[in-house]
Amino acid sequence: MATATGKIQIEYEEGLHARPAAAFAHLASSYNHCDVKVTCNEDTVNGKSIMSLLTLGAGCGSELIIEANGEKAQELVDALIDLVRRRFDISTNGT
């Protein structure tokens, strides 16, 4: 079974609140044959669960460690890191 790990710092000003957590979990869940865990400040949760991600309390500047296991694990980690880098695709100009 393939395993991949990556780290990224949250640069989105509002951190990992409901909309970013939903976007993250939605993308993670689209990889049916992978499990994904997210660690922040020594707490590890299921990356496919919005509620679990919210319990991390990951604000701007927090580091996320993303670990995936399964088919296309590296692709999933890369996609999630890219999503965080893009500030979860949430517009900051009010639109």
Side-chain angles (χ1 to χ4, degrees):
M1 180 183 323
T3 299
T5 303
K7 295 180 183 181
I8 182 125
Q9 186 173 16
I10 297 175
E11 295 180 4
Y12 180 57
E13 298 79 15
E14 296 182 33
L16 190 62
H17 64 80
R19 283 192 303 165
F24 191 102
H26 179 75
L27 178 57
S29 294
S30 71
Y31 285 76
N32 298 331
H33 300 292
C34 285
D35 292 320
V36 61
K37 295 181 181 181
V38 180
T39 302
C40 181
N41 299 324
E42 299 183 21
D43 292 323
T44 302
V45 300
N46 178 351
K48 293 183 177 184
S49 167
I50 297 169
M51 293 304 292
S52 294
L53 289 166
L54 290 173
T55 66
L56 291 174
C60 184
S62 296
E63 181 179 74
L64 300 180
I65 300 170
I66 303 166
E67 181 180 350
N69 295 297
E71 188 178 317
K72 298 185 181 182
Q74 187 64 57
E75 182 181 315
L76 173 55
V77 169
D78 292 345
L80 290 169
I81 286 174
D82 189 51
L83 178 69
V84 175
R85 187 173 289 123
R86 294 188 324 260
R87 295 184 162 106
F88 306 97
D89 293 334
I90 295 172
S91 173
T92 57
N93 64 5
T95 59

